Amino acid sequence: STRAANMKVVGLISGGKDSLHNLLHCVALGHEIVCLANLRPPTDGELDSFMYQTVGTETVGLMGEAMGLPMYQRAISGTALVQTASYAAPTVGDEVEDLTELLRTVQAAHPDVDAVSVGAILSDYQRLRVEAVCGRLGLKSLAYLWQRDQSELLSEIIASGQETVIAKVAAMGLKKSHVGQSLAAIEPVVTKLAAEFGLHPCGEGGEYETLVLDSPLFAKKIVLEETEVVTHSDDAFAPVAFLRVVKARLQDKDPPVPPVAELRETARRILATCVVPAHIQALFQPEGASAHLIPAVREQQGAAAVTTEQSEADAGVHFVCLSNIHAKELGGSLEGEADGLMVALVEALAQNGLGVGDVHHVHLLVRSMSDFAAINSRYVATFGASPPSRVCVQVPMTSSAARATIDCIAHKNHGTVLERKCLHVQSQSHWAPANIGPYSQAVTAGPLCFLAGQIAMVPATLAVVAAPEDQVVLSLEHVASVVHALGTASEYMLVALCFVTDLSLKEKAFAALQRVVGQGCGQRAPLCAVIQLPQLPKAAACEWQVVARSKTAGLSRVSEAQTRSIEAATVTVQSVVIDNTPVAYAVASVRVTDEEASNSVVDGVLDTLEGAAAGVPWLQLRCFAPATAVPLLQARVKAHARAAASSASFTETPPNTDWTIVLWANDHT
């Protein structure tokens, strides 16, 4: 089933449109709203807060009664002491700690609460802080509006039946007279300003704030009996003014509205009608409806290439690849080996002058997925905030006694400080799957973006879709969602490895890649290889691993695929280079018709890769081949000058499958 598991939820509300609309999604997805919570200014009037909406809070206390739910409020006592993007450790006096204490109060009264509903759409600052607090308290964050198209979302909120007024204006084109008007009335104004000046349609840039008077979840509506408009700045072009509610009351609705706990079908029916993206709308259709859970191709695809600025640091990035890391002591308990694996990783990094904070991406290879939980518990203790992206797969490991091995990619600072950017989203949403482990969806380092492996989970529920063919497409759409969230585009993908448990999905994978990248951008699809493995996380049929170029990198140039015969083998090689950087990738697919492949076949493949890499020194070589071919590959790699200098890993695949060899060449290693 793609339906959500029921959770008991506290609704973190500001009184504005987004937090109340997110609650509608929670109810429609089957969650139980047990109470509401709100952070308010310590005195009347607006408070300058980085985290919380503080206008219109005079009526928030009425919303609990309007929904028939307990309301917990706390006065904001802190300020924004930590203003960096992330918020890793508790900071006394920071306004984030007011949220921590508020939710602790909620947990004391409702110990079975599982999750927090939050109306975040675009603000990483807000989302990361809510996620940090939730992680500390053992709660999940539900942010179903995250990364939604704001024009679509604004129309959806209005069409849902929410009655909202403008509580504050603070942007060019918005007027003091707009304060107090309905959101529906000024939607045309907001839409026009968005087109002319780039105003955020949902006010995510602080352009305006709102106050909800009625919602499909309200049994009573709020009536404003006396208000005044307070002016902060009477600027002729961008006045700042807000609504102060002097007196308000509740009014019964006719016909009566059932309690929130009985409104799931009503909420589903509303959202099935007003939600625009079909893959989100499908979640609210009756079970078995024909509406599909796979997103439509994004309009941005096929557009002209994005203009980029070359970072001076990109040309001098020093990457380090470490391969085949495993515990020194094998054959003992699984927990002991997992501890030993993490110790070996830390030691290998230290030998290269690195720490775990320098790691960008990890390949975690396990003998059995049943061992994953024990290994992962040690892994999470090793990597703290902003962990590397990660791919986890099950491989045979017939030639090794290890239960798990790690390959990793890190950066070594040689005088140039490299900005390491992590996309680490732990909230459940409709955007892409939340992290189900200690990894980031993507890490950007210099010219490259290393993406975590993606499987076909429905983002809102984290359930895997059933049909393998749908899994191929949906998991790749998640990759595209992550790439777009990085500020780049699907055509920035360089290499896409598709791990499958059934090779009959191969052609579907290549077709999906063409669909997602699109043909209008004038570039070929990224390098692609489909590799069969025994098992993937959550028993998925497909997992995509992608490397993309960052938005600061030069354009990528993908070569024509070249096919040649070497004795009893057919070799197809394709490569990609990034302009103005010493980075190149090449992928070789090798079909061997003779089980006893000769040295010359392997040497020929390596020589072909060397030509494709255009003389750039080799950094990493990943070889996927049946167990019978691995010893030959290992021996010939050691004998090959370029290959021997690289960090080489060898992953066993099922018998009689094609070989895949992935080369990463980089001139500063």
Side-chain angles (χ1 to χ4, degrees):
S1 173
T2 54
R3 301 299 182 205
N6 181 277
M7 286 188 278
K8 293 184 182 296
V9 176
V10 50
L12 184 62
I13 65 168
S14 64
K17 65 184 187 325
D18 305 328
S19 56
L20 269 299
H21 191 65
N22 196 70
L23 280 179
L24 187 66
H25 278 256
C26 289
V27 172
L29 288 166
H31 303 307
E32 178 186 354
I33 313 302
V34 297
C35 65
L36 304 177
N38 167 258
L39 286 152
R40 56 177 175 76
T43 58
D44 288 343
E46 186 184 20
L47 180 70
D48 186 16
S49 169
F50 281 48
M51 271 287 288
Y52 314 113
Q53 175 177 319
T54 60
V55 294
T57 55
E58 299 92 347
T59 63
V60 171
L62 296 175
M63 292 181 179
E65 186 179 347
M67 295 177 67
L69 295 172
M71 167 68 80
Y72 297 88
Q73 287 187 284
R74 177 184 171 89
I76 302 167
S77 61
T79 57
L81 298 179
V82 180
Q83 298 181 13
T84 55
S86 61
Y87 187 86
T91 302
V92 175
D94 194 282
E95 62 182 350
V96 174
E97 299 312 312
D98 291 311
L99 175 60
T100 304
E101 294 308 312
L102 175 63
L103 292 179
R104 282 187 174 138
T105 300
V106 169
Q107 286 182 308
H110 304 273
D112 55 351
V113 71
D114 302 300
V116 178
S117 168
V118 59
I121 299 174
L122 190 63
S123 170
D124 279 311
Y125 184 94
Q126 181 190 53
R127 175 187 59 79
L128 287 167
R129 280 155 174 74
V130 172
E131 290 176 352
V133 172
C134 286
R136 204 186 310 164
L137 300 179
L139 299 170
K140 293 184 178 178
S141 171
L142 305 179
Y144 295 115
L145 312 187
W146 177 249
Q147 288 286 321
R148 290 283 306 278
D149 178 277
Q150 290 188 49
S151 294
E152 289 181 354
L153 181 58
L154 180 60
S155 297
E156 175 186 317
I157 291 172
I158 294 170
S160 73
Q162 184 187 106
E163 293 183 16
T164 305
V165 296
I166 303 303
K168 181 181 177 180
V169 294
M172 182 178 292
L174 292 178
K175 302 175 182 178
K176 182 178 176 180
S177 60
H178 289 138
V179 176
Q181 290 191 32
S182 72
L183 182 63
I186 74 155
E187 183 185 14
V189 177
V190 168
T191 301
K192 183 173 181 289
L193 293 175
E196 292 181 355
F197 303 114
L199 176 142
H200 293 83
C202 283
E204 281 298 283
E207 296 94 338
Y208 70 92
E209 294 183 19
T210 57
L211 174 61
V212 175
L213 303 181
D214 195 11
S215 157
L217 302 180
F218 284 11
K220 300 179 180 182
K221 66 185 299 181
I222 298 172
V223 177
L224 302 181
E225 293 193 328
E226 183 180 350
T227 63
E228 66 172 323
V229 177
V230 179
T231 302
H232 271 184
S233 169
D234 208 12
D235 186 277
F237 298 101
V240 178
F242 71 90
L243 185 71
R244 190 172 78 86
V245 178
V246 179
K247 186 178 180 181
R249 62 178 173 86
L250 292 174
Q251 176 179 298
D252 290 335
K253 295 169 71 170
D254 187 20
V257 176
V260 173
E262 300 175 17
L263 289 177
R264 182 184 182 188
E265 291 307 315
T266 299
R268 284 179 59 180
R269 185 173 63 253
I270 291 170
L271 292 178
T273 303
C274 66
V275 171
V276 173
H279 69 287
I280 301 177
Q281 188 185 90
L283 289 167
F284 309 117
Q285 301 288 348
E287 197 76 63
S290 59
H292 215 281
L293 290 164
I294 297 177
V297 177
R298 290 167 176 76
E299 292 183 3
Q300 297 97 318
Q301 292 165 5
V306 177
T307 302
T308 61
E309 295 182 4
Q310 174 69 24
S311 167
E312 293 182 3
D314 290 352
V317 175
H318 294 251
F319 288 106
V320 175
C321 292
L322 305 176
S323 299
N324 306 311
I325 299 169
H326 58 76
K328 293 179 181 178
E329 299 293 331
L330 303 175
S333 69
L334 174 60
E335 292 74 15
E337 183 173 340
D339 287 333
L341 175 63
M342 293 301 109
V343 169
L345 171 63
V346 172
E347 289 179 349
L349 290 167
Q351 289 169 4
N352 287 272
L354 300 166
V356 292
D358 299 310
V359 179
H360 304 316
H361 184 74
V362 168
H363 304 130
L364 176 60
L365 312 178
V366 297
R367 182 188 296 274
S368 171
M369 279 293 172
S370 63
D371 296 337
F372 173 73
I375 296 167
N376 197 51
S377 67
R378 272 60 178 183
Y379 186 99
V380 70
T382 302
F383 291 100
S386 302
S389 55
R390 186 178 75 182
V391 172
C392 179
V393 295
Q394 177 178 312
V395 297
M397 292 189 181
T398 59
S399 59
S400 170
R403 291 185 179 97
T405 64
I406 281 178
D407 303 337
C408 70
I409 298 167
H411 166 256
K412 194 165 187 176
N413 184 8
H414 284 275
T416 300
V417 177
L418 179 71
E419 186 176 11
R420 178 182 184 272
K421 295 182 179 179
C422 292
L423 181 63
H424 187 224
V425 180
Q426 301 172 74
S427 299
Q428 284 183 219
S429 67
H430 295 301
W431 164 68
N435 297 325
I436 57 173
Y439 59 86
S440 296
Q441 279 93 347
V443 173
T444 300
L448 299 176
C449 303
F450 302 98
L451 276 65
Q454 288 288 349
I455 60 176
M457 293 186 289
V458 177
T461 67
L462 300 184
V464 177
V465 298
E469 295 81 6
D470 288 346
Q471 289 191 39
V472 172
V473 179
L474 181 57
S475 52
L476 188 58
E477 283 290 350
H478 294 335
V479 170
S481 295
V482 172
V483 168
H484 280 265
L486 295 171
T488 60
S490 297
E491 57 264 29
Y492 282 50
M493 297 182 196
L494 301 174
V495 183
L497 300 184
C498 182
F499 300 110
V500 296
T501 55
D502 185 344
L503 274 179
S504 65
L505 297 173
K506 183 173 182 177
E507 293 307 315
K508 183 72 173 180
F510 281 107
L513 191 62
Q514 291 286 350
R515 171 185 179 271
V516 168
V517 174
Q519 296 301 298
C521 59
Q523 294 186 194
R524 299 187 182 93
L527 311 188
C528 181
V530 179
I531 301 164
Q532 185 179 9
L533 293 173
Q535 192 172 349
L536 301 171
K538 299 192 75 167
C542 172
E543 180 176 10
W544 285 92
Q545 178 194 355
V546 167
V547 178
R549 61 184 172 91
S550 71
K551 61 183 178 181
T552 63
L555 295 177
S556 53
R557 312 289 179 180
V558 182
S559 73
E560 293 275 7
Q562 303 292 329
T563 301
R564 58 179 293 201
S565 296
I566 305 174
E567 293 186 357
T570 302
V571 182
T572 301
V573 175
Q574 194 172 15
S575 63
V576 59
V577 297
I578 304 177
D579 287 353
N580 305 318
T581 67
V583 175
Y585 281 92
V587 173
S589 297
V590 184
R591 175 156 295 177
V592 180
T593 55
D594 185 348
E595 291 185 5
E596 299 296 327
S598 67
N599 290 351
S600 58
V601 170
V602 182
D603 292 344
V605 172
L606 296 176
D607 289 342
T608 303
L609 284 170
E610 184 169 2
V616 179
W618 294 14
L619 175 58
Q620 183 187 51
L621 198 66
R622 299 177 66 193
C623 304
F624 300 86
T628 54
V630 168
L632 174 63
L633 282 164
Q634 289 173 325
R636 300 318 301 164
V637 164
K638 288 181 181 178
H640 190 276
R642 290 275 195 192
S646 69
S647 176
S649 65
F650 303 88
T651 302
E652 297 175 12
T653 58
N656 304 314
T657 53
D658 293 349
W659 305 356
T660 299
I661 303 177
V662 182
L663 167 65
W664 175 17
N666 190 294
D667 203 19
H668 295 281
T669 62

